[in-house]
Amino acid sequence: MGSITVLYFAAARERVGTQRETLEVPEGARVQDVLRQLAERHASLKPLLPHLRVAVNQEFVDTGEEVPAGAELALIPPVSGGSGLFSVVDRPLRLEEVVAAVSGEAYGGLVTFSGSVRNQTKGRRVLKLEYEAYPPMAEKRLAAIGAEVAERWGGTRLAIMHRVGTLQPGELAVVIAAAAPHRKEAFLACEHAIERLKQDVPIWKKEFFEDGEVWVGLGP
């Protein structure tokens, strides 16, 4: 066993009722193990965990990373700036995550977009897709799209999550939620987000067919 320091900020701090605490964790524990332990200790924190990023010793980490004894682990809610959530993940997506990130009593219009893997492209049967990303830059570009939306349609909030890895037909590749005081701005913001994502975010996909494979945008 070893001890680590857990830091809480913003909404996470409010849910737990403290800014920091010491936690005893087993040797070799990974971030996901620590999060599970925290969810058991703080029931009010559990619903918030899908929306948080984790930093260990001031560096963002994945949930599979090991947490060394004596480490400082911080739970970091989405930053301010017109959005609730921008992330690239290697797990199945849930539309309710982006919806929860932008919902609020001041937002009368909420529009969502779910992009799933098609089972065919130009008459060719798709077996699977592989998505690859430059995650730090991709998340910064997603956040920039959120800032664009907030500036262009004042009072509008945006959240985007994109999946990477191997996806089968029917699985979600991207989910977007836009919330605004009125429906028109929410529709426009959601459409703007998916178009800008395709133009400017470093995420790539490779399609696999029965008779070959191709990186989208580079093939014939």
Side-chain angles (χ1 to χ4, degrees):
M1 297 289 286
S3 63
I4 64 171
T5 299
V6 182
L7 303 180
Y8 302 98
F9 299 95
R13 183 190 67 251
E14 292 177 350
R15 296 288 182 97
V16 175
T18 185
Q19 188 170 354
R20 67 170 59 217
E21 67 177 332
T22 300
L23 190 70
E24 296 294 322
V25 298
E27 183 178 351
R30 302 188 181 278
V31 171
Q32 58 197 13
D33 303 319
V34 176
L35 293 179
R36 192 177 304 113
Q37 192 171 339
L38 291 175
E40 292 174 355
R41 175 178 284 206
H42 306 290
S44 61
L45 182 66
K46 187 174 182 180
L48 196 62
L49 290 178
H51 310 299
L52 304 180
R53 297 183 72 185
V54 179
V56 173
N57 293 332
Q58 301 183 11
E59 295 289 340
F60 284 118
V61 296
D62 294 325
T63 58
E65 290 287 329
E66 186 172 325
V67 182
E72 182 180 85
L73 182 146
L75 298 185
I76 302 177
V79 298
S80 60
S83 82
L85 178 68
F86 300 108
S87 60
V88 175
V89 300
D90 60 355
R91 58 171 175 79
L93 301 177
R94 295 186 296 116
L95 184 62
E96 54 264 35
E97 290 187 65
V98 288
V99 170
V102 301
S103 296
E105 292 182 358
Y107 303 97
L110 194 154
V111 174
T112 65
F113 172 81
S114 300
S116 60
V117 177
R118 296 189 302 269
N119 64 2
Q120 63 84 30
T121 296
K122 297 180 180 178
R124 302 172 73 187
R125 180 169 171 250
V126 174
L127 302 180
K128 64 179 181 179
L129 292 187
E130 286 187 358
Y131 280 91
E132 182 178 323
Y134 179 14
M137 183 177 177
E139 291 185 345
K140 287 181 180 179
R141 294 312 305 158
L142 293 176
I145 294 171
E148 289 175 12
V149 162
E151 182 177 356
R152 188 165 179 178
W153 297 285
T156 300
R157 303 182 71 195
L158 188 70
I160 308 173
M161 295 185 70
H162 203 296
R163 187 178 172 185
V164 292
T166 302
L167 281 71
Q168 305 298 322
E171 290 191 288
L172 290 174
V174 60
V175 288
I176 301 174
H182 305 286
R183 66 180 183 275
K184 181 179 179 180
E185 290 78 8
F187 274 108
L188 290 171
C190 194
E191 183 179 27
H192 179 82
I194 190 62
E195 294 301 329
R196 291 288 288 116
L197 186 156
K198 290 177 175 291
Q199 295 169 357
D200 204 31
V201 179
I203 297 175
W204 309 275
K205 68 178 178 181
K206 191 175 190 179
E207 291 184 308
F208 290 80
F209 308 100
E210 293 174 310
D211 58 350
E213 59 194 54
V214 63
W215 285 102
V216 174
L218 297 179

